[in-house]
Amino acid sequence: MVAVFPWLDHGVALVCLAAVCGVANTIVEEDSHTYHFCRNAGTKVLGEHLSFTLLPAELTVAWHTNGLVCGKPCVHWALSRDHLEQGFDEQDRLNKSCGETQEYLVSPNTTAYVYHAIIGPLRPGQRYFYQVYHSASHNISNGIPVSFSMDTISGEIFEFVAPVKDPAPSATRHQTRVLFFGDSGNSEEWHNGTVPAVASEVASGNISMVIHTGDMAYYAEDDGGQRGGMHAEELSNATGHIVPLMTVPGNGDVFCYRPPGIPTWAACTEDYQRRYIMPGWNRTHSLWSAFDLGSVHYLLLDSEAQTWCNANQNQSEQLIFAEEDLMRVDRTQVPWVVVVLHRPLYSSCANVKEQQMMRDGFAALLLKYRVDLVLNGHVHSYERTWPVKGDYNESDNATVQHGDGISLELYIDPVYPVHVIAGTAGNGESIDDCTHDAGVYNWTFSAVRSNDIGYGRLEAHNRSHLEIDFFSVTQGKVLDSFVIQRTYRNTSHVDIL
């Protein structure tokens, strides 16, 4: 069989024998040119998930494949499943966006292939359908085709509702409900407990977003570096591929196989940076980001930049970003501020010196800009603090707020931030039993603790009431629930002296 490629305008006719065309990723040399033939058959699209961008009417779609795929990575989206299934639409009801391929080593012998594309503009509250695909095509370098794809591969068709990110005044901003958890993967509790429970809530249509507080890929370097992709696929299954998945890196997401020498922070977080595309990723490499959703401003930060010995430059850049971001928040329009960090500033059983390091890096910032809530992982248990100032060290306990409207179920106008740890999604390591440690140390900051597998819910009812629950997958019920109540804010931020 002879196949001639008509787009070759440099006078070279490629002869493709049946034996060659039937083999994936074949190299053929002809007239001093090297051509790469790709058979996409057998390669799968995996792990599709959504995330926010810097623009309110856009979303990023990210995914990976289990092998090399030729053809540009693209996304079709439309108002109807039929439009996607039928393909070409003369009435322009089928939208198309193509994006970028990220190809990088995750071990000396294993290459990861991840992709992302931005879809939009989207109409807030509108229901859409989307499907990623890699089309049969040829790639050109300097006017010469260098690779040819013989097949088109596609992912599944997924349905989502475009988020309402609310440019409207605060009084009319809609209610949002968010799930949060961290430290997931590599355990039966995660596979058969948290994943189906979270997926069920997302499928109900009442969830606006899922936040992962870090450690998304336990032992990501295992299995030739492919375990990170396996965890990404399972995490996208938990979110149902249909609500934005927003993330921060944890210490479990940092691994370096690189040759001898001092590992760089960029190299050791490469897999995380490329798999999870956060707002402004081209500036911050997805390590820190910020966005509004309804009446809540979210600031997602990288705790590892504070604790890694050779990441000082990253931490300096991050703190500048965080300060500039919090300064811009108008609390009359976006009254709530939530910060997400992997490592906690307060825990009844985490390393005391590590907590102090985190407070040294972030506590003053949280106080200065009156952050309402801090979400953490890292510790494999659930813990909720009283409003806490952040001024204790190894020999002193924390300044906490009791009385004056502060009870176990209701915090009225707390002066200090509240911290919630939910590193409880289930992982290959053991649960941290913080209940007995709290008794030993008698930390005054600790309000509620649990060792159950589960996840958190954050519901912004309106400008004055923020409700936080901890749902136990182990027991199938809510174990902790409290409300932060605020009076109307008439300043953009409040300094606490």
Side-chain angles (χ1 to χ4, degrees):
M1 181 185 76
V2 176
V4 179
F5 297 88
W7 52 77
L8 298 179
D9 56 4
H10 52 84
V12 178
L14 288 183
V15 177
C16 180
L17 300 178
V20 173
C21 290
V23 177
N25 307 331
T26 302
I27 302 296
V28 175
E29 294 186 1
E30 178 74 18
D31 290 355
S32 300
H33 297 298
T34 300
Y35 304 97
H36 194 172
F37 291 89
C38 294
R39 289 302 306 267
N40 288 339
T43 307
K44 296 180 180 179
V45 170
L46 303 166
E48 300 99 313
H49 59 273
L50 305 172
S51 59
F52 291 123
T53 74
L54 292 176
L55 299 179
E58 292 182 346
L59 288 173
T60 295
V61 183
W63 67 97
H64 66 275
T65 58
N66 60 345
L68 173 66
V69 176
C70 284
K72 185 169 288 189
C74 299
V75 182
H76 274 151
W77 78 96
L79 298 177
S80 158
R81 178 182 292 270
D82 290 342
H83 296 158
L84 290 179
E85 292 175 342
Q86 293 168 4
F88 178 73
D89 189 339
E90 293 182 350
Q91 299 182 30
D92 293 327
R93 291 176 297 185
L94 186 64
N95 304 285
K96 173 183 175 181
S97 176
C98 295
E100 296 189 24
T101 297
Q102 305 281 330
E103 180 179 334
Y104 58 98
L105 291 172
V106 290
S107 78
N109 301 310
T110 305
T111 301
Y113 304 94
V114 299
Y115 318 87
H116 71 271
I118 294 174
I119 59 175
L122 305 170
R123 186 183 308 160
Q126 175 66 57
R127 186 173 302 278
Y128 292 92
F129 296 80
Y130 77 94
Q131 182 179 37
V132 307
Y133 69 98
H134 297 254
S135 61
S137 64
H138 62 284
N139 298 327
I140 296 178
S141 177
N142 297 322
I144 300 174
V146 293
S147 67
F148 306 93
S149 169
M150 304 302 182
D151 312 284
T152 295
I153 66 168
S154 302
E156 296 182 45
I157 295 176
F158 296 109
E159 178 181 354
F160 72 97
V161 175
V164 181
K165 296 190 74 177
D166 276 324
S170 176
T172 61
R173 287 178 181 243
H174 76 296
Q175 181 176 338
T176 57
R177 198 178 202 196
V178 172
L179 304 183
F180 63 92
F181 54 83
D183 301 81
S184 61
N186 209 37
S187 74
E188 287 301 312
E189 293 87 353
W190 166 248
H191 301 318
N192 300 322
T194 306
V195 169
V198 169
S200 177
E201 287 218 41
V202 170
S204 72
N206 298 319
I207 303 303
S208 309
M209 171 178 66
V210 172
I211 293 176
H212 199 294
T213 59
D215 279 8
M216 287 157 287
Y218 273 80
Y219 316 113
E221 66 274 23
D222 289 359
D223 300 325
Q226 298 184 70
R227 187 165 287 186
M230 296 164 57
H231 285 312
E233 182 182 356
E234 197 162 35
L235 187 55
S236 66
N237 291 337
T239 66
H241 315 271
I242 58 177
V243 297
L245 170 64
M246 308 305 291
T247 64
V248 296
N251 58 296
D253 305 308
V254 180
F255 68 95
C256 303
Y257 77 88
R258 302 282 179 173
I262 299 176
T264 66
W265 184 241
C268 294
T269 55
E270 183 176 29
D271 190 58
Y272 169 83
Q273 292 178 37
R274 295 179 185 272
R275 288 191 188 278
Y276 302 100
I277 307 299
M278 296 296 103
W281 70 275
N282 53 342
R283 174 189 171 192
T284 66
H285 309 290
S286 293
L287 297 173
W288 50 87
S289 59
F291 57 92
D292 294 340
L293 179 63
S295 58
V296 185
H297 179 76
Y298 291 91
L299 175 60
L300 279 54
L301 297 176
D302 176 16
S303 64
E304 305 313 292
Q306 172 68 13
T307 56
W308 258 58
C309 61
N310 65 342
N312 294 337
Q313 180 62 35
N314 296 71
Q315 177 65 345
S316 297
E317 294 175 6
Q318 175 173 238
L319 291 177
I320 292 172
F321 173 89
E323 178 107 26
E324 291 176 348
D325 174 73
L326 292 173
M327 286 178 64
R328 289 193 295 265
V329 179
D330 184 351
R331 304 296 281 267
T332 66
Q333 297 299 310
V334 187
W336 300 105
V337 173
V338 174
V339 169
V340 183
L341 284 157
H342 178 63
R343 296 179 191 255
L345 282 70
Y346 303 95
S347 166
S348 293
C349 61
N351 181 281
V352 175
K353 290 184 178 180
E354 179 184 293
Q355 293 180 62
Q356 187 62 54
M357 187 181 299
M358 289 298 297
R359 290 191 295 276
D360 290 344
F362 299 104
L365 194 70
L366 303 179
L367 287 168
K368 180 178 180 180
Y369 292 99
R370 199 79 177 260
V371 169
D372 297 288
L373 182 68
V374 182
L375 303 179
N376 302 118
H378 191 56
V379 179
H380 302 163
S381 67
Y382 171 79
E383 185 165 16
R384 183 242 296 188
T385 72
W386 298 102
V388 56
K389 185 176 182 180
D391 58 347
Y392 89 101
N393 53 41
E394 290 185 64
S395 59
D396 299 317
N397 222 326
T399 300
V400 300
Q401 186 178 356
H402 293 294
D404 297 325
I406 305 298
S407 64
L408 190 62
E409 295 82 19
L410 179 63
Y411 297 171
I412 300 177
D413 287 329
V415 179
Y416 308 132
V418 179
H419 300 251
V420 173
I421 300 171
T424 51
N427 57 75
E429 300 176 352
S430 61
I431 286 290
D432 293 324
D433 185 359
C434 296
T435 55
H436 67 83
D437 284 340
V440 172
Y441 294 108
N442 194 30
W443 298 126
T444 58
F445 59 73
S446 185
V448 177
R449 297 171 298 277
S450 171
N451 296 329
D452 281 23
I453 297 294
Y455 54 89
R457 299 185 184 122
L458 187 160
E459 189 163 5
H461 291 282
N462 48 44
R463 69 199 303 171
S464 60
H465 290 78
L466 190 70
E467 181 178 359
I468 298 92
D469 299 334
F470 175 67
F471 179 80
S472 166
V473 173
T474 305
Q475 302 185 46
K477 65 180 182 179
V478 173
L479 290 190
D480 183 34
S481 181
F482 71 102
V483 173
I484 302 175
Q485 180 178 320
R486 290 277 188 207
T487 55
Y488 178 72
R489 288 191 168 108
N490 57 8
T491 57
S492 61
H493 71 271
V494 179
D495 290 332
I496 298 177
L497 301 177

